[in-house]
Amino acid sequence: MIYNRRTANCNRQLLMQTDTRAGSAAKTALLLLLGINLFNYIDRQVLAALEPDIRASFFAPGDLNAMTKTGLLADAFFVTYMISAPILGLLADRISRWLIIGVAVILWSLASGGSGLAATFGILFATRICVGVGEGGYGPAAPTILADLFPIATRGRIMAIFYAAIPVGSALGYVIGGLIGASFGWRWAFYLVTPPGLLLGLLCFLQRDPRVGSDQLLQKSPRRSLRDYVRLFRTRSYLINCIAITLMTFVTGGLGFWAPAYLRYRNQSPDVGMTIFGLITVVAGLTSTLLGGVVADRLRSRLPGSYFWVSGIGMLIACPFFVATLYIPFPAAWVTMFLAIFFLFVNTGPSNTALANVSLPAVRATAFAVN
């Protein structure tokens, strides 16, 4: 009896220590991935903020195709990202995801610094391809780590916290690009974002993948088969989610890249206009991203498909405000822009949580990669 009591007490203490270590590891992973995602979107939107300056640097003022050519820089990133993500997602299902993330972050950080050094437009185009490859490795792996570390009951708000880096990072990218570009030239904006990315990438090599390990805190790497992948692509909600996010990215990718040029077209100064746009993005986007995750989590037990309902309603409300922004004069247009961005980002946390919830852990990185 004494032995059994002592054994039970020891087991209880071991479980408490394990839970503490699990919670600590999960929080560390969340903070690190949040920081990486922040600089992920800073790197993306710095280019957008600097597009008018880059265009002026590489093309003559009378070149009618100049904007088409600078638009190819966005294509270089998105197309490379689209091609590399499924390949690297399959790899992330098989080896340490932290290793892939660390290499990917270092690659895109070096490529961002290389963008500032580019002497020709062709070299700049090549650096954006490298950024796309780097983010193709990071994008599928990061949310799957969080999905493994946090329970389904809180997964929506955790994903919302992680994806809150999208509006904040995008806003900082616009502001950094606008202010640094106006003060020191467009190249210095790329130099500035390189060192933090390198540091965050190196920190990834100190982390342990939650799927593998020797102690009771970590699970063994899950087995996967062709049947698991077939099941994923037969999941109706997964396919609908992928189609919806594809359509959303088709729109928001273009809007995000051309926003600085559009503001100049509407006679908003590069530094002041981008600062206001950045503040609107961070306030509206951060608030609504966190709100969307919390609301969808709370509705989960009462409303089947709550993650889809919250995402879809937010997107539908955002559409008329986006259209109104095109026709309402400034400064009133800032108000409709705020509302459009607010309801757009309500979608982010719930849609990605839905992806995690319907995919098996063994193929979850592939699920995010294809999406």
Side-chain angles (χ1 to χ4, degrees):
M1 180 67 70
I2 295 175
Y3 174 79
N4 289 339
R5 287 178 179 175
R6 287 178 177 175
T7 303
N9 289 333
C10 289
N11 289 337
R12 191 178 298 112
Q13 291 176 1
L14 178 61
L15 287 173
M16 291 175 62
Q17 292 173 358
T18 300
D19 290 341
T20 301
R21 286 184 291 160
S24 177
K27 291 176 183 177
T28 300
L30 176 60
L31 289 174
L32 179 55
L33 293 174
L34 180 62
I36 292 172
N37 211 26
L38 184 71
F39 278 92
N40 171 11
Y41 281 88
I42 290 176
D43 285 355
R44 288 194 196 188
Q45 303 307 336
V46 158
L47 173 67
L50 297 170
E51 185 278 332
D53 298 322
I54 293 173
R55 190 188 339 139
S57 178
F58 288 109
F59 302 106
D63 190 343
L64 299 179
N65 295 317
M67 293 185 76
T68 301
K69 295 173 183 176
T70 54
L72 292 175
L73 297 175
D75 294 338
F77 166 78
F78 275 116
V79 173
T80 308
Y81 191 0
M82 179 184 69
I83 294 172
S84 62
I87 298 171
L88 296 174
L90 284 169
L91 190 62
D93 279 332
R94 286 161 171 76
I95 67 173
S96 171
R97 292 169 295 188
W98 282 114
L99 175 63
I100 291 178
I101 292 173
V103 173
V105 173
I106 290 174
L107 173 62
W108 97 51
S109 298
L110 291 174
S112 292
S115 299
L117 296 171
T120 66
F121 184 78
I123 295 175
L124 182 61
F125 185 87
T127 63
R128 303 318 294 179
I129 290 177
C130 292
V131 171
V133 173
E135 296 200 24
Y138 165 77
T144 63
I145 291 177
L146 297 177
D148 286 348
L149 287 171
F150 290 93
I152 192 171
T154 60
R155 195 172 287 163
R157 66 199 71 178
I158 293 300
M159 288 295 183
I161 292 172
F162 172 67
Y163 285 107
I166 296 179
V168 177
S170 299
L172 288 174
Y174 288 128
V175 173
I176 290 172
L179 295 179
I180 300 300
S183 301
F184 303 101
W186 63 268
R187 297 181 185 275
W188 278 98
F190 288 110
Y191 301 151
L192 186 65
V193 299
T194 301
L198 295 176
L199 176 61
L200 291 169
L202 292 173
L203 290 176
C204 292
F205 299 133
L206 304 178
Q207 309 303 312
R208 180 179 291 181
D209 196 304
R211 297 172 302 181
V212 295
S214 57
D215 60 15
Q216 297 181 8
L217 170 63
L218 302 173
Q219 301 175 354
K220 293 182 179 180
S221 179
R223 295 181 178 180
R224 65 198 59 80
S225 64
L226 179 61
R227 184 180 301 175
D228 294 330
Y229 293 102
V230 173
R231 177 181 175 182
L232 175 66
F233 290 104
R234 286 181 175 176
T235 304
R236 183 168 173 264
S237 62
Y238 174 75
L239 295 177
I240 293 174
N241 205 347
C242 286
I243 293 170
I245 293 181
T246 300
L247 295 173
M248 182 194 74
T249 307
F250 175 81
V251 176
T252 57
L255 289 173
F257 186 80
W258 292 112
Y262 175 72
L263 290 175
R264 293 192 184 194
Y265 172 76
R266 294 290 300 271
N267 299 317
Q268 303 301 304
S269 64
D271 49 353
V272 176
M274 289 312 303
T275 301
I276 296 174
F277 180 67
L279 289 173
I280 287 176
T281 302
V282 72
V283 174
L286 177 60
T287 304
S288 62
T289 299
L290 297 175
L291 180 65
V294 172
V295 170
D297 271 350
R298 292 190 174 182
L299 292 175
R300 185 175 64 88
S301 60
R302 290 176 288 174
L303 177 64
S306 63
Y307 298 105
F308 284 100
W309 277 104
V310 173
S311 298
I313 291 173
M315 292 295 294
L316 288 173
I317 296 175
C319 288
F321 287 114
F322 270 116
V323 175
T325 303
L326 298 176
Y327 298 98
I328 295 177
F330 284 90
W334 292 121
V335 177
T336 55
M337 186 181 292
F338 179 96
L339 294 172
I341 292 173
F342 179 89
F343 288 106
L344 168 68
F345 279 106
V346 167
N347 148 84
T348 310
S351 62
N352 284 281
T353 304
L355 285 175
N357 289 349
V358 302
S359 56
L360 294 173
V363 297
R364 191 169 281 153
T366 300
F368 275 90
V370 172
N371 175 71

